Amino acid sequence: MTNLRFRRQFPYHLMILPGLLFILIYNYVPMTGIVMAFERFVPSKGMYLSPWVGWKNFEFMLNMPGIYQVIWNTVFIALMKIIAGVVVPVVITLLLYEAKSRWFKSSVQTIVYFPHFLSWIILGGIFVDILSPSTGMLNEFLGWFGIKPIYFLGDVNWFPFTLVGTETWKEFGYGTIVYLAALTGINPTLYEAATMDGAGRFKQAVHVTLPGLLPMIVLMTILSLGNVLNAGFDQVFNLYSAQVYRSGDIIDTLVYRIGMEDANYGVATAVGLFKSVVSFVMISVSYGLAYRFTSYRIF
């Protein structure tokens, strides 16, 4: 029986083999480079002949000027993105669900999904032009109301919120897919009962639709906690500059500068390993909470 079952499933094992090889080659083999976090890495000697320094790279990391500000920036920006990444898609989902025109609903969905598929290299150039304090479209619009130009990408106070706003604009449409799918699981008789009780469209949305979405909202919020140290390297790298390091520099961009610009590979690896360990703990906790509160499990 076991051999028959294996022969039947053998084609499926072959189908999954390329994916497993890809993960092995590009995700697990490079993990051997973690050893550089404990070395004073010398490129000419390689990973296995460079001098061993133990925990000194981590000590250097914790004593770096501004390291705690960078950690705070990462957590603050990531948390704001998580909150906005849940609230905005839910609001848009409720509005789309109430739209009666199928053509209008499909058109809006297509439009708001599209930015998700654009890279931050493209969007970075677009936002630099749109948010320019001198010629940007947004500042010209604000000028009609007598508001002075705002340097969104150069002001340390505005930059984190600019990151959150542009990230939310890019991803909220794609995020509505999950919530629109969750709406299909709501029993239609609940709306009929609410109508018979005299509930209008707004009360139906508040007392039927939103509670029906609540388990998915809780699940997506909990799962997002695993990304609390992922503030978005691609976005920040394409939008930030030295004048906003104080509020916009995150762990990933710091690793890039230390490793690629300063060629201090050992410290860069130590910072990256620190982030990975914390992220692993947060992901484990988030999946544990997801299973406890929503019975969600991967396997």
Side-chain angles (χ1 to χ4, degrees), residues 121-273:
I121 295 177
I122 297 172
L123 291 178
I126 294 174
F127 281 122
V128 166
D129 290 335
I130 293 177
L131 301 177
S132 170
S134 56
T135 60
M137 182 189 306
L138 181 56
N139 274 305
E140 288 186 5
F141 174 76
L142 294 176
W144 296 347
F145 300 93
I147 301 176
K148 295 182 180 180
I150 300 173
Y151 201 174
F152 292 100
L153 299 178
D155 189 309
V156 293
N157 297 315
W158 278 99
F159 186 72
F161 301 100
T162 302
L163 292 176
V164 176
T166 52
E167 171 76 12
T168 304
W169 173 85
K170 182 179 185 294
E171 299 294 343
F172 81 88
Y174 197 75
T176 59
I177 294 176
V178 175
Y179 299 110
L180 286 171
L183 288 177
T184 61
I186 300 178
N187 193 338
T189 59
L190 295 176
Y191 292 100
E192 296 175 4
T195 302
M196 294 179 64
D197 289 339
R201 299 281 293 277
F202 179 76
K203 286 189 176 181
Q204 290 181 29
V206 172
H207 297 289
V208 180
T209 308
L210 195 56
L213 281 177
L214 189 59
M216 183 58 66
I217 294 173
V218 173
L219 174 62
M220 297 303 293
T221 303
I222 292 174
L223 294 180
S224 297
L225 294 177
N227 294 318
V228 73
L229 289 185
N230 292 323
F233 171 79
D234 291 345
Q235 179 197 19
V236 178
F237 183 74
N238 283 283
L239 293 179
Y240 84 149
S241 58
Q243 55 192 344
V244 292
Y245 280 175
R246 184 162 60 88
S247 65
D249 197 16
I250 61 175
I251 294 176
D252 290 331
T253 53
L254 177 66
V255 170
Y256 174 84
R257 291 202 311 278
I258 294 175
M260 302 303 293
E261 296 181 5
D262 299 339
N264 197 338
Y265 304 108
V267 176
T269 306
V271 177
L273 180 58

Side-chain angles (χ1 to χ4, degrees), residues 64-80:
M64 287 174 57
I67 183 64
Y68 296 104
Q69 181 65 44
V70 170
I71 296 174
W72 164 252
N73 293 342
T74 305
V75 175
F76 179 66
I77 293 172
L79 285 177
M80 288 198 300

